[in-house]
PDB file of all heavy atoms in Angstrom:
ATOM      1  N   MET A  19      60.769  58.588  86.541  1.00 80.00           N
ATOM      2  CA  MET A  19      61.016  57.098  86.729  1.00 80.00           C
ATOM      3  C   MET A  19      59.679  56.361  86.507  1.00 80.00           C
ATOM      4  O   MET A  19      59.755  55.195  85.928  1.00 80.00           O
ATOM      5  CB  MET A  19      61.555  56.875  88.168  1.00 80.00           C
ATOM      6  CG  MET A  19      63.042  57.374  88.338  1.00 80.00           C
ATOM      7  SD  MET A  19      64.099  56.639  87.248  1.00 80.00           S
ATOM      8  CE  MET A  19      64.102  55.010  87.732  1.00 80.00           C
ATOM      9  N   SER A  20      58.587  56.919  86.910  1.00 79.00           N
ATOM     10  CA  SER A  20      57.285  56.119  86.779  1.00 79.00           C
ATOM     11  C   SER A  20      57.006  55.981  85.263  1.00 79.00           C
ATOM     12  O   SER A  20      56.491  54.935  84.777  1.00 79.00           O
ATOM     13  CB  SER A  20      56.118  56.963  87.539  1.00 79.00           C
ATOM     14  OG  SER A  20      55.001  56.325  87.192  1.00 79.00           O
ATOM     15  N   ARG A  21      57.226  57.081  84.524  1.00 77.00           N
ATOM     16  CA  ARG A  21      56.992  57.151  83.126  1.00 77.00           C
ATOM     17  C   ARG A  21      57.946  56.122  82.409  1.00 77.00           C
ATOM     18  O   ARG A  21      57.556  55.405  81.490  1.00 77.00           O
ATOM     19  CB  ARG A  21      57.053  58.545  82.579  1.00 77.00           C
ATOM     20  CG  ARG A  21      55.852  59.351  82.941  1.00 77.00           C
ATOM     21  CD  ARG A  21      56.009  60.763  82.502  1.00 77.00           C
ATOM     22  NE  ARG A  21      54.891  61.634  82.879  1.00 77.00           N
ATOM     23  CZ  ARG A  21      54.835  62.907  82.661  1.00 77.00           C
ATOM     24  NH1 ARG A  21      55.840  63.613  82.105  1.00 77.00           N
ATOM     25  NH2 ARG A  21      53.736  63.700  83.041  1.00 77.00           N
ATOM     26  N   LEU A  22      59.181  56.185  82.899  1.00 80.00           N
ATOM     27  CA  LEU A  22      60.205  55.207  82.276  1.00 80.00           C
ATOM     28  C   LEU A  22      59.786  53.681  82.364  1.00 80.00           C
ATOM     29  O   LEU A  22      59.852  52.884  81.579  1.00 80.00           O
ATOM     30  CB  LEU A  22      61.572  55.567  82.700  1.00 80.00           C
ATOM     31  CG  LEU A  22      62.405  56.745  82.346  1.00 80.00           C
ATOM     32  CD1 LEU A  22      63.560  56.940  83.034  1.00 80.00           C
ATOM     33  CD2 LEU A  22      62.666  56.521  80.836  1.00 80.00           C
ATOM     34  N   ARG A  23      59.174  53.525  83.702  1.00 80.00           N
ATOM     35  CA  ARG A  23      58.892  52.104  83.978  1.00 80.00           C
ATOM     36  C   ARG A  23      57.749  51.681  83.032  1.00 80.00           C
ATOM     37  O   ARG A  23      57.685  50.663  82.520  1.00 80.00           O
ATOM     38  CB  ARG A  23      58.480  52.053  85.437  1.00 80.00           C
ATOM     39  CG  ARG A  23      59.666  51.945  86.403  1.00 80.00           C
ATOM     40  CD  ARG A  23      59.250  51.397  87.761  1.00 80.00           C
ATOM     41  NE  ARG A  23      58.450  52.500  88.400  1.00 80.00           N
ATOM     42  CZ  ARG A  23      58.793  53.438  89.153  1.00 80.00           C
ATOM     43  NH1 ARG A  23      60.164  53.567  89.370  1.00 80.00           N
ATOM     44  NH2 ARG A  23      58.032  54.358  89.685  1.00 80.00           N
ATOM     45  N   TRP A  24      56.761  52.549  82.873  1.00 82.00           N
ATOM     46  CA  TRP A  24      55.625  52.176  81.884  1.00 82.00           C
ATOM     47  C   TRP A  24      56.193  52.049  80.409  1.00 82.00           C
ATOM     48  O   TRP A  24      55.752  51.123  79.810  1.00 82.00           O
ATOM     49  CB  TRP A  24      54.540  53.393  81.964  1.00 82.00           C
ATOM     50  CG  TRP A  24      53.659  53.267  83.065  1.00 82.00           C
ATOM     51  CD1 TRP A  24      53.556  54.063  84.217  1.00 82.00           C
ATOM     52  CD2 TRP A  24      52.643  52.285  83.284  1.00 82.00           C
ATOM     53  NE1 TRP A  24      52.566  53.521  84.973  1.00 82.00           N
ATOM     54  CE2 TRP A  24      51.901  52.510  84.437  1.00 82.00           C
ATOM     55  CE3 TRP A  24      52.158  51.249  82.421  1.00 82.00           C
ATOM     56  CZ2 TRP A  24      50.883  51.757  84.959  1.00 82.00           C
ATOM     57  CZ3 TRP A  24      51.107  50.473  82.792  1.00 82.00           C
ATOM     58  CH2 TRP A  24      50.475  50.666  84.025  1.00 82.00           C
ATOM     59  N   LEU A  25      57.157  52.863  80.132  1.00 82.00           N
ATOM     60  CA  LEU A  25      57.582  52.707  78.727  1.00 82.00           C
ATOM     61  C   LEU A  25      58.428  51.444  78.547  1.00 82.00           C
ATOM     62  O   LEU A  25      58.199  50.749  77.538  1.00 82.00           O
ATOM     63  CB  LEU A  25      58.525  53.978  78.453  1.00 82.00           C
ATOM     64  CG  LEU A  25      59.161  53.990  77.070  1.00 82.00           C
ATOM     65  CD1 LEU A  25      58.089  54.049  75.943  1.00 82.00           C
ATOM     66  CD2 LEU A  25      60.170  55.192  76.999  1.00 82.00           C
ATOM     67  N   VAL A  26      59.217  51.109  79.468  1.00 82.00           N
ATOM     68  CA  VAL A  26      59.875  49.946  79.431  1.00 82.00           C
ATOM     69  C   VAL A  26      58.942  48.650  79.407  1.00 82.00           C
ATOM     70  O   VAL A  26      59.233  47.710  78.703  1.00 82.00           O
ATOM     71  CB  VAL A  26      60.909  49.798  80.690  1.00 82.00           C
ATOM     72  CG1 VAL A  26      61.458  48.471  80.811  1.00 82.00           C
ATOM     73  CG2 VAL A  26      62.023  50.834  80.501  1.00 82.00           C
ATOM     74  N   ALA A  27      57.985  48.838  80.269  1.00 81.00           N
ATOM     75  CA  ALA A  27      56.995  47.748  80.264  1.00 81.00           C
ATOM     76  C   ALA A  27      56.253  47.495  78.848  1.00 81.00           C
ATOM     77  O   ALA A  27      56.121  46.417  78.385  1.00 81.00           O
ATOM     78  CB  ALA A  27      55.893  47.978  81.248  1.00 81.00           C
ATOM     79  N   VAL A  28      55.925  48.629  78.236  1.00 82.00           N
ATOM     80  CA  VAL A  28      55.359  48.515  77.034  1.00 82.00           C
ATOM     81  C   VAL A  28      56.401  47.899  75.928  1.00 82.00           C
ATOM     82  O   VAL A  28      55.932  47.199  75.221  1.00 82.00           O
ATOM     83  CB  VAL A  28      54.856  50.018  76.459  1.00 82.00           C
ATOM     84  CG1 VAL A  28      54.378  49.813  74.963  1.00 82.00           C
ATOM     85  CG2 VAL A  28      53.670  50.414  77.415  1.00 82.00           C
ATOM     86  N   VAL A  29      57.511  48.420  76.014  1.00 84.00           N
ATOM     87  CA  VAL A  29      58.479  47.860  75.004  1.00 84.00           C
ATOM     88  C   VAL A  29      58.726  46.409  75.255  1.00 84.00           C
ATOM     89  O   VAL A  29      58.859  45.636  74.360  1.00 84.00           O
ATOM     90  CB  VAL A  29      60.002  48.686  75.224  1.00 84.00           C
ATOM     91  CG1 VAL A  29      61.032  47.982  74.407  1.00 84.00           C
ATOM     92  CG2 VAL A  29      59.711  50.161  74.775  1.00 84.00           C
ATOM     93  N   LEU A  30      58.841  46.088  76.582  1.00 84.00           N
ATOM     94  CA  LEU A  30      59.111  44.603  76.895  1.00 84.00           C
ATOM     95  C   LEU A  30      57.767  43.856  76.387  1.00 84.00           C
ATOM     96  O   LEU A  30      58.032  42.725  75.759  1.00 84.00           O
ATOM     97  CB  LEU A  30      59.157  44.375  78.348  1.00 84.00           C
ATOM     98  CG  LEU A  30      60.451  44.919  78.965  1.00 84.00           C
ATOM     99  CD1 LEU A  30      60.443  44.745  80.592  1.00 84.00           C
ATOM    100  CD2 LEU A  30      61.684  44.174  78.342  1.00 84.00           C
ATOM    101  N   VAL A  31      56.552  44.259  76.502  1.00 83.00           N
ATOM    102  CA  VAL A  31      55.447  43.567  75.984  1.00 83.00           C
ATOM    103  C   VAL A  31      55.486  43.393  74.501  1.00 83.00           C
ATOM    104  O   VAL A  31      55.253  42.354  73.835  1.00 83.00           O
ATOM    105  CB  VAL A  31      54.067  44.304  76.439  1.00 83.00           C
ATOM    106  CG1 VAL A  31      53.031  43.688  75.719  1.00 83.00           C
ATOM    107  CG2 VAL A  31      53.988  44.145  77.838  1.00 83.00           C
ATOM    108  N   VAL A  32      55.908  44.461  73.885  1.00 83.00           N
ATOM    109  CA  VAL A  32      55.938  44.564  72.189  1.00 83.00           C
ATOM    110  C   VAL A  32      57.022  43.536  71.816  1.00 83.00           C
ATOM    111  O   VAL A  32      56.760  42.801  70.873  1.00 83.00           O
ATOM    112  CB  VAL A  32      56.241  45.924  71.703  1.00 83.00           C
ATOM    113  CG1 VAL A  32      56.607  45.829  70.205  1.00 83.00           C
ATOM    114  CG2 VAL A  32      55.134  46.856  71.926  1.00 83.00           C
ATOM    115  N   LEU A  33      58.093  43.484  72.688  1.00 85.00           N
ATOM    116  CA  LEU A  33      59.190  42.655  72.290  1.00 85.00           C
ATOM    117  C   LEU A  33      58.816  41.098  72.528  1.00 85.00           C
ATOM    118  O   LEU A  33      59.128  40.239  71.689  1.00 85.00           O
ATOM    119  CB  LEU A  33      60.447  42.782  73.020  1.00 85.00           C
ATOM    120  CG  LEU A  33      61.268  44.113  72.661  1.00 85.00           C
ATOM    121  CD1 LEU A  33      62.427  44.280  73.731  1.00 85.00           C
ATOM    122  CD2 LEU A  33      61.927  43.884  71.406  1.00 85.00           C
TER     123      LEU A  33
END
Side-chain angles (χ1 to χ4, degrees):
M19 291 302 294
S20 175
R21 290 174 177 174
L22 283 174
R23 283 195 292 268
W24 278 108
L25 180 61
V26 169
V28 171
V29 170
L30 288 174
V31 169
V32 172
L33 286 173

